[in-house]
Amino acid sequence: QVQLVESGGGLVQAGGSLRLSCAASGSIFSANAMGWYRQAPGKQRELVARITSDGSTNYADSVKGRFTISRDNAKNTVYLHMNSLKPEDTAVYYCHAVLYYSGTYSDYWGQGTQVTVSS
């Protein structure tokens, strides 16, 4: 069985930093695109950052220059380094991955980790 296990959320003051991690566990052959989404109360889930297996990245305009996504392919792990955090970054952050498992590529989601930025 495949799982995405997230860690690293928490409470931080505005201007601070956090690092989120997401590790894919299970008998995974490979991970294609991996990324982070977030959902604030009353809002739709939105893409924060995404990274492909060859390292290409894209970011939401609201986080460009502040957040950095990276991955460790050997560990099937994706990271989100968040700097200069703002109160509007407060949300539940979800890890997403396209994983090759049991003969096919499928979408997987983590359980979500809360990030709260106080002003």
Side-chain angles (χ1 to χ4, degrees):
Q1 186 174 355
V2 175
Q3 283 187 314
L4 296 180
V5 180
E6 302 158 347
S7 61
L11 173 64
V12 65
Q13 288 188 331
S17 300
L18 283 174
R19 188 185 80 158
L20 305 183
S21 300
C22 172
S25 64
S27 301
I28 302 161
F29 182 74
S30 66
N32 198 340
M34 303 183 79
W36 293 91
Y37 289 71
R38 67 186 181 188
Q39 187 166 19
K43 294 188 176 181
Q44 289 189 333
R45 189 174 298 188
E46 62 175 1
L47 174 68
V48 177
R50 181 175 176 271
I51 184 167
T52 63
S53 57
D54 63 359
S56 297
T57 59
N58 62 289
Y59 296 90
D61 288 342
S62 59
V63 306
K64 282 181 181 176
R66 300 188 298 121
F67 291 10
T68 302
I69 190 170
S70 62
R71 64 187 284 169
D72 183 335
N73 289 332
K75 296 180 179 179
N76 288 321
T77 298
V78 62
Y79 306 95
L80 185 66
H81 303 260
M82 305 185 291
N83 297 319
S84 303
L85 283 161
K86 304 175 181 180
E88 49 264 45
D89 294 318
T90 295
V92 178
Y93 283 69
Y94 296 91
C95 176
H96 170 262
V98 179
L99 303 175
Y100 189 84
Y101 174 74
S102 191
T104 188
Y105 280 102
S106 300
D107 290 284
Y108 294 87
W109 291 91
Q111 78 283 3
T113 185
Q114 177 70 47
V115 171
T116 302
V117 184
S118 63
S119 57

